[in-house]
Amino acid sequence: DAGITQSPRHKVTETGTPVTLRCHQTENHRYMYWYRQDPGHGLRLIHYSYGVKDTDKGEVSDGYSVSRSKTEDFLLTLESATSSQTSVYFCAISSGVNTEAFFGQGTRLTVV
Amino acid sequence: TQLLEQSPQFLSIQEGENLTVYCNSSSVFSSLQWYRQEPGEGPVLLVTVVTGGEVKKLKRLTFQFGDARKDSSLHITAAQPGDTGLYLCAGFMDSNYQLIWGAGTKLIIKP
């Protein structure tokens, strides 16, 4: 299995609080991605990174920010959580474009 | 509207039956991947198809990429309960660095 770890695995938080999810990889892959998965929508890209300190927005980036200060870590922050951000969040890594994406086990986030 | 449309959204069949699920688009993809996802886990890659018309086999699973590289199909022969899961297709377009995902087909194989 690819070395990719997400933390926490489960979190319940209140509306309006900040939340940070962490993705850690041991594969030294260049690309890292944050997705959310909701019923009927499949995987939707939030943000991605193509190198240290190089990030870009995906299709559902509003309300989210990311940081990548080291190759191995990619952080996703919800500045002020809303109920619409209740979802399962997946981190993925890949060595390049057009290559296999390896996924973490996901973080189930509930905003109450 | 999803750029990649998967059908059916849900399929429940008996063990031993054959089935085909589809991944369709009006856009051209440089490659297309199929993943399987089990509950509580992230998706895992099954196959990548790159060439128009390409057919790849993985035991009882047969994957085909359309000639025009706009669609793909996954055929399972003699389905088994272990095939149960969410099947996702994802494609790369030449114009960007992102995988485009379909919404998935949820497959249940009943013993």
Side-chain angles (χ1 to χ4, degrees):
Chain A
D1 292 341
I4 177 168
T5 306
Q6 290 185 231
S7 59
R9 292 291 316 277
H10 301 272
K11 185 171 182 65
V12 179
T13 192
E14 292 185 349
T15 299
T17 60
V19 177
T20 295
L21 308 182
R22 181 179 183 238
C23 179
H24 178 78
Q25 63 147 327
T26 58
E27 304 297 319
N28 201 36
H29 282 350
R30 178 182 177 187
Y31 294 87
M32 298 186 76
Y33 309 83
W34 276 108
Y35 292 92
R36 60 178 291 174
Q37 187 173 36
D38 305 287
H41 289 279
L43 288 161
R44 291 185 290 175
L45 183 65
I46 305 171
H47 283 279
Y48 66 100
S49 170
Y50 46 95
V52 174
K53 297 187 180 178
D54 290 325
T55 65
D56 206 348
K57 296 178 180 180
E59 63 176 300
V60 290
S61 60
D62 287 349
Y64 302 94
S65 62
V66 290
S67 67
R68 191 172 179 196
S69 58
K70 298 184 290 185
T71 298
E72 56 267 35
D73 289 324
F74 192 32
L75 303 179
L76 176 70
T77 298
L78 290 65
E79 302 291 345
S80 177
T82 67
S83 58
S84 65
Q85 293 176 312
T86 291
S87 186
V88 180
Y89 291 85
F90 284 100
C91 175
I93 61 175
S94 68
S95 59
V97 295
N98 234 9
T99 61
E100 178 178 0
F102 297 93
F103 284 81
Q105 292 189 297
T107 295
R108 182 172 293 278
L109 176 68
T110 303
V111 183
V112 297
Chain B
T1 302
Q2 300 253 174
L3 202 55
L4 274 172
E5 296 285 344
Q6 290 192 245
S7 61
Q9 289 183 308
F10 179 78
L11 184 60
S12 177
I13 63 171
Q14 292 295 137
E15 180 178 4
E17 294 183 8
N18 302 332
L19 66 107
T20 302
V21 298
Y22 301 92
C23 177
N24 295 312
S25 178
S26 57
S27 301
V28 175
F29 290 88
S30 58
S31 69
L32 216 144
Q33 301 176 343
W34 284 92
Y35 289 77
R36 184 169 75 201
Q37 184 179 18
E38 299 188 16
E41 302 290 332
V44 176
L45 181 70
L46 295 173
V47 76
T48 301
V49 285
V50 179
T51 306
E54 182 177 5
V55 176
K56 281 191 174 180
K57 292 193 175 184
L58 189 66
K59 297 183 180 177
R60 294 176 292 100
L61 280 59
T62 301
F63 303 85
Q64 184 162 8
F65 202 12
D67 290 342
R69 293 185 293 136
K70 293 182 178 181
D71 53 79
S72 181
S73 63
L74 159 59
H75 181 79
I76 300 179
T77 303
Q80 298 178 1
D83 296 326
T84 293
L86 178 67
Y87 289 80
L88 295 158
C89 67
F92 274 107
M93 302 178 77
D94 290 332
S95 57
N96 63 45
Y97 300 111
Q98 302 175 19
L99 263 178
I100 309 297
W101 291 84
T105 293
K106 186 172 182 180
L107 176 63
I108 295 176
I109 310 300
K110 295 177 285 188

